[in-house]
Amino acid sequence: MESDYLPISKNFATLSIHSGNTGEDSEYACVVPPIVSSVNFRLNFSLTEDSISQKYTYSKIANPTRNNLEQCLATLEGAKYGLCFSSGGGGLSSLLAMLKPGSHIICNNSIFGGTVVLLNNIANSFSFTTSYVDMHNLENLVNAIQPNTALIWTESISNPLMKVADIKNISRVAKERNVLLAVDNTFLTPYFHRPLELGADIVNYSLTKYFNGHCDIIMGSLLVNKKELYDKLSFIQCAMGIVPSSFDCAEMIKSLKTFALRMKQHSINAIKVASQTSGHSGMVSFYINGDLKQTKQLLNNFKLIIPTTSFGAIESIAEIPLLISQSPVPSKQRDPKVTNNLVRLSVGLENDEDIINDLDQALNSL
Ligand SMILES: *Cc1c(COP(=O)(O)O)cnc(C)c1O
């Protein structure tokens, strides 16, 4: 069975095999870049300049094998910059080291235990305070923001309760209040989800999990688009010494060769284990941010999707359950979640981009 879920980029498998594979030292025309285990690099002193301009001087600062991996991770994430750490927790520690003492952090209340340990037992020693809120309700997030709030931390899908975070709206709040948003995307990986594209400032991974996939490397990474963040984090990566070894980086590069294959099969297997179905049909229901008038207007705005009753046709069809399919149900008996802003969509067989574009234009012209 094919997975219901597709990789985020059509090129994912190709990139995970080829990206970052350009060996710095091409003397031997290696297909697989050599592992550069050297800690230090011979320096060539310029007689006219005092500063050292060589890219590699000491491996804690920069190492060719680590750089290959960082480049590959950035490419897979669609990010400008990637940084690797000696564990996923090391990535978060480096992020905390970037904040001013006394900063306030807002963390989703359903979160990986190791993150809570770090925030409750280490971050407080740096006089950071943390508020745990259920970000499922954006109001909780807005209400928790304080003048010294510096970081919002959430998992895209929470460990272990699988709560989904609305990254786009959380990032809107973060931007309005000038707070950094970091998303731990360890459960989904860039194969399925790229938080930077939805407005996050920083993506965190425990590479120990799916990226590695073979239970033999502990490693973490942070991905960012802003040069300013990259510069600060790479300074901290070296200054705090939270770097992985070149051997581990080479092993991680090898793990990535099968990343796409593995994620696809994980997804197929998980759906079989978790679901009483072997897939899903074309039915999707969603709420709009509006009232009944706007819901009707949305359906009138569609150019491709047909506003009508019934479903399961090759044409995409939308209806307002409250007015149509649920209208015979007495209001007392009706599930309160069937509200006047609920739309039921039967996704048809037109080109998927055409369907998405029609939804976009209809929603944008509300
Ligand atoms: C495992 C995990 C981490 C920590 O990763 P380590 O590599 O063990 O430090 C962070 N976030 C999530 C969601 C995890 O599952």
Side-chain angles (χ1 to χ4, degrees):
M1 187 187 84
E2 279 293 296
S3 168
D4 278 350
Y5 299 98
L6 298 169
I8 200 109
S9 153
K10 291 188 181 93
N11 304 325
F12 196 95
T14 308
L15 293 174
S16 63
I17 290 170
H18 289 281
S19 169
N21 253 10
T22 47
E24 292 288 327
D25 176 3
S26 57
E27 193 185 337
Y28 307 114
C30 299
V31 171
V32 172
I35 302 172
V36 180
S37 63
S38 189
V39 164
N40 38 6
F41 299 82
R42 187 176 284 274
L43 300 175
N44 272 320
F45 291 101
S46 154
L47 297 182
T48 52
E49 291 282 330
D50 286 344
S51 61
I52 308 241
S53 59
Q54 280 173 236
K55 188 171 175 190
Y56 298 111
T57 55
Y58 188 62
S59 274
K60 191 166 67 166
I61 304 169
N63 169 278
T65 312
R66 190 172 88 222
N67 282 10
N68 283 346
L69 174 59
E70 290 177 335
Q71 188 190 326
C72 185
L73 295 172
T75 305
L76 293 179
E77 193 70 29
K80 285 216 176 89
Y81 307 101
L83 294 136
C84 285
F85 299 88
S86 45
S87 72
L92 175 56
S93 306
S94 302
L95 192 50
L96 294 179
M98 208 176 65
L99 309 180
K100 283 195 201 118
S103 290
H104 174 243
I105 298 159
I106 303 176
C107 182
N108 221 333
N109 65 348
S110 178
I111 206 96
F112 169 63
T115 299
V116 175
V117 168
L118 192 56
L119 291 174
N120 288 0
N121 301 286
I122 308 286
N124 60 348
S125 321
F126 293 89
S127 64
F128 296 146
T129 49
T130 305
S131 304
Y132 294 95
V133 302
D134 179 359
M135 294 185 199
H136 214 241
N137 183 346
L138 271 191
E139 240 170 67
N140 294 340
L141 174 64
V142 172
N143 292 339
I145 295 178
Q146 299 172 12
N148 59 337
T149 303
L151 176 71
I152 297 171
W153 177 274
T154 184
E155 285 162 9
S156 45
I157 299 246
S158 77
N159 177 359
L161 287 180
M162 313 288 163
K163 288 196 174 170
V164 180
D166 179 352
I167 306 297
K168 212 173 193 172
N169 276 314
I170 294 173
S171 88
R172 186 173 47 74
V173 172
K175 283 202 170 61
E176 274 166 18
R177 308 298 286 267
N178 211 14
V179 178
L180 282 177
L181 171 62
V183 176
D184 186 335
N185 197 33
T186 299
F187 261 40
L188 286 176
T189 84
Y191 186 81
F192 292 122
H193 184 56
R194 286 183 184 173
L196 291 178
E197 288 171 7
L198 300 177
D201 298 293
I202 299 153
V203 175
N204 172 78
Y205 288 109
S206 167
L207 302 181
T208 315
K209 315 292 169 49
Y210 284 116
F211 285 77
N212 170 229
H214 297 75
C215 294
D216 56 5
I217 311 167
I218 291 182
M219 204 184 286
S221 77
L222 294 177
L223 290 310
V224 297
N225 278 333
K226 292 189 194 115
K227 172 104 176 38
E228 187 202 345
L229 282 176
Y230 173 71
D231 287 344
K232 281 186 190 167
L233 288 167
S234 60
F235 174 78
I236 290 166
Q237 178 193 38
C238 172
M240 291 183 69
I242 317 177
V243 288
S245 80
S246 52
F247 290 102
D248 278 354
C249 289
E251 284 294 298
M252 187 62 77
I253 291 171
K254 197 193 279 183
S255 292
L256 292 182
K257 309 289 179 205
T258 55
F259 195 23
L261 272 180
R262 288 187 282 109
M263 291 317 290
K264 186 175 176 187
Q265 193 63 41
H266 280 301
S267 169
I268 291 169
N269 288 5
I271 286 170
K272 285 194 178 158
V273 169
S275 174
Q276 56 186 335
T277 69
S278 60
H280 187 64
S281 65
M283 301 307 295
V284 177
S285 291
F286 60 93
Y287 295 102
I288 68 155
N289 209 348
D291 55 16
L292 183 59
K293 194 166 163 226
Q294 282 168 306
T295 312
K296 290 189 203 165
Q297 187 60 55
L298 174 75
L299 266 72
N300 289 344
N301 286 351
F302 286 138
K303 292 180 177 152
L304 176 74
I305 299 165
I306 305 171
T308 183
T309 60
S310 185
F311 60 91
I314 52 171
E315 297 90 352
S316 289
I317 285 171
E319 70 132 357
I320 303 171
L322 187 76
L323 298 188
I324 304 170
S325 56
Q326 286 276 312
S327 65
V329 181
S331 53
K332 266 198 217 141
Q333 199 185 329
R334 194 182 294 135
D335 187 320
K337 286 187 177 143
V338 179
T339 51
N340 61 18
N341 59 345
L342 177 71
V343 176
R344 192 188 73 191
L345 180 67
S346 169
V347 180
L349 301 185
E350 300 92 345
N351 174 277
D352 52 356
E353 279 174 20
D354 290 342
I355 301 170
I356 291 166
N357 287 341
D358 195 34
L359 281 163
D360 262 352
Q361 70 77 22
L363 283 164
N364 288 335
S365 47
L366 272 188

